[in-house]
Amino acid sequence: MSGFRNIVISSPCKLQYKGGYMVVRREDDTAKVHLSEISSVVLQTNQVFISAYLLSELAKAKVAFVVSDEKRDPIGQYLPLYGAHNTSKRIAEQLEWGEPIKKRVWQRIVRDKIKHQSDVLHARAREEQGETLKSIVAEVRSGDTTNREGHAARLYFSSLFGPSFSRDDDTPLNAALNYGYAILLSSVNREIAARGYLTQTGICHRNEFNQFNLSCDFMEPFRPLVDRIVFDNFDGEFSKETKLLLVDMLNQGIAYRGGTYRVGSVISLYVADCFKALDRKLSVDEIEPFEVV
């Protein structure tokens, strides 16, 4: 069972491993957390010394370890090389996925994403635009050959953040969104690596310079979670409080399989369903849906 704590380190300290625990030593105190409880560790300061022993144990425990830059934005991640005992078999299966099944799974992912975008607009008093997006869901074809995803995104972002908003702008609002997306990407990376698959080989994203093409594929339906948090809490500046809310996003509860599950757990189960569909062990229509609002 994966851990449930998402640890944020924001002040100078030393991180070490001792007896199954990550030990955090600062000038005035010492704290420790058992590795079995940790889902991810995010460094929001460069003034941290970490032991190689701890890095090794974090990899064994499949804990995502995220490093931030001088602006405290995620810039890198440490992942285990071998997340499963049968990694070679999983990679061989991954390389054999055919185009038809990859297109069908991508169709499902895009439909889920647009449906969640519609739900966010409905919940934030953009009912008319939400209905428009809802109607687009059924238009998504295998492989999204007509790019309904891009069309929906343009309508969605202009409806949520205003007609002048652009994802290409260097603004605090985009910085907040990018931070949340990086947290999501880290969680999806962890799930893919833990199952022995390659993050580099995607089903739709195929950029030769992107180390996380498959992760970018699987994270798409979860992006509206970030959008919702940023919309509800952004006040013109990307504050420390908003960062902490985005890190804690993985612990929030959402509707799934008739109950309420942690976002981190839903990511794990959704990724597992996508792999089963790609390996033809599950129908694409049987991938379990989830809610974001």
Side-chain angles (χ1 to χ4, degrees), residues 12-81:
C13 64
K14 292 183 179 180
L15 301 179
Q16 298 172 304
Y17 176 81
K18 185 175 181 180
Y21 289 86
M22 181 178 75
V23 182
V24 183
R25 300 186 187 279
R26 293 178 291 189
E27 287 188 0
D28 53 348
D29 68 349
T30 298
K32 62 181 183 178
V33 185
H34 200 276
L35 263 59
S36 64
E37 298 181 2
I38 304 175
S39 174
S40 66
V41 178
V42 179
L43 299 188
Q44 288 192 347
T45 174
N46 291 330
Q47 295 179 290
V48 174
F49 293 90
I50 180 169
S51 71
Y53 193 0
L54 176 59
L55 285 174
S56 174
E57 294 301 319
L58 288 173
K60 292 177 185 177
K62 303 179 181 62
V63 173
F65 188 83
V66 180
V67 180
S68 300
D69 60 16
E70 68 281 359
K71 297 179 182 179
R72 298 195 172 191
D73 294 329
I75 194 171
Q77 181 180 9
Y78 175 67
L79 288 169
L81 285 176

Side-chain angles (χ1 to χ4, degrees), residues 88-155:
S88 297
K89 179 183 178 183
R90 294 285 175 83
I91 293 174
E93 292 173 346
Q94 182 176 4
L95 297 178
E96 291 296 321
W97 291 338
E99 285 301 313
I101 189 60
K102 287 194 287 189
K103 289 180 178 180
R104 286 279 289 114
V105 172
W106 180 243
Q107 176 189 33
R108 172 57 190 269
I109 287 172
V110 172
R111 284 181 171 176
D112 286 346
K113 178 184 180 180
I114 297 175
K115 193 266 183 185
H116 295 158
Q117 290 174 328
S118 171
D119 291 343
V120 170
L121 292 182
H122 272 288
R124 299 305 179 270
R126 272 78 168 169
E127 289 86 358
E128 182 178 348
Q129 297 92 332
E131 281 299 311
T132 300
L133 283 189
K134 186 177 179 180
S135 69
I136 294 175
V137 173
E139 299 175 1
V140 179
R141 299 178 180 175
S142 179
D144 190 24
T145 53
T146 58
N147 194 25
R148 296 296 84 192
E149 181 196 17
H151 175 66
R154 288 188 290 273
L155 175 60

Side-chain angles (χ1 to χ4, degrees), residues 4-281:
F4 58 92
R5 297 186 186 277
N6 298 289
I7 309 293
V8 178
I9 306 293
S10 57
S11 58
C13 64
K14 292 183 179 180
L15 301 179
Q16 298 172 304
Y17 176 81
K18 185 175 181 180
Y21 289 86
M22 181 178 75
V23 182
V24 183
R25 300 186 187 279
R26 293 178 291 189
E27 287 188 0
D28 53 348
D29 68 349
T30 298
K32 62 181 183 178
V33 185
H34 200 276
L35 263 59
S36 64
E37 298 181 2
I38 304 175
S39 174
S40 66
V41 178
V42 179
L43 299 188
Q44 288 192 347
T45 174
N46 291 330
Q47 295 179 290
V48 174
F49 293 90
I50 180 169
S51 71
Y53 193 0
L54 176 59
L55 285 174
S56 174
E57 294 301 319
L58 288 173
K60 292 177 185 177
K62 303 179 181 62
V63 173
F65 188 83
V66 180
V67 180
S68 300
D69 60 16
E70 68 281 359
K71 297 179 182 179
R72 298 195 172 191
D73 294 329
I75 194 171
Q77 181 180 9
Y78 175 67
L79 288 169
L81 285 176
Y82 309 106
H85 68 281
N86 59 346
T87 296
S88 297
K89 179 183 178 183
R90 294 285 175 83
I91 293 174
E93 292 173 346
Q94 182 176 4
L95 297 178
E96 291 296 321
W97 291 338
E99 285 301 313
I101 189 60
K102 287 194 287 189
K103 289 180 178 180
R104 286 279 289 114
V105 172
W106 180 243
Q107 176 189 33
R108 172 57 190 269
I109 287 172
V110 172
R111 284 181 171 176
D112 286 346
K113 178 184 180 180
I114 297 175
K115 193 266 183 185
H116 295 158
Q117 290 174 328
S118 171
D119 291 343
V120 170
L121 292 182
H122 272 288
R124 299 305 179 270
R126 272 78 168 169
E127 289 86 358
E128 182 178 348
Q129 297 92 332
E131 281 299 311
T132 300
L133 283 189
K134 186 177 179 180
S135 69
I136 294 175
V137 173
E139 299 175 1
V140 179
R141 299 178 180 175
S142 179
D144 190 24
T145 53
T146 58
N147 194 25
R148 296 296 84 192
E149 181 196 17
H151 175 66
R154 288 188 290 273
L155 175 60
Y156 170 71
F157 280 115
S158 63
S159 300
L160 195 61
F161 296 119
S164 63
F165 174 80
S166 172
R167 282 286 293 134
D168 296 325
D169 293 340
D170 183 10
T171 62
L173 177 55
N174 272 318
L177 292 171
N178 291 338
Y179 189 91
Y181 296 153
I183 296 298
L184 276 182
L185 182 66
S186 169
S187 180
V188 176
N189 284 341
R190 176 180 182 269
E191 296 302 328
I192 293 173
R195 287 172 170 78
Y197 294 92
L198 296 173
T199 61
Q200 294 91 338
T201 304
I203 58 175
C204 179
H205 291 82
R206 301 180 185 183
N207 188 325
E208 63 179 300
F209 304 109
N210 185 0
Q211 298 296 310
F212 308 116
N213 284 308
L214 186 58
S215 311
C216 290
D217 290 329
F218 289 165
M219 72 178 280
E220 292 294 343
F222 295 91
R223 285 178 179 266
L225 284 166
V226 174
D227 308 332
R228 172 175 60 78
I229 293 171
V230 172
F231 179 84
D232 289 345
N233 297 279
F234 186 79
D235 59 1
E237 296 294 331
F238 184 23
S239 65
K240 178 181 178 181
E241 289 72 20
T242 302
K243 285 186 177 181
L244 293 177
L245 284 172
L246 289 168
V247 172
D248 191 55
M249 164 181 58
L250 300 177
N251 288 322
Q252 293 184 4
I254 56 176
Y256 182 71
R257 294 186 177 181
T260 301
Y261 288 68
R262 290 176 51 252
V263 170
S265 298
V266 176
I267 289 174
S268 178
L269 294 166
Y270 188 85
V271 167
D273 277 357
C274 287
F275 279 132
K276 289 176 183 177
L278 287 162
D279 291 329
R280 298 186 180 277
K281 298 175 181 177

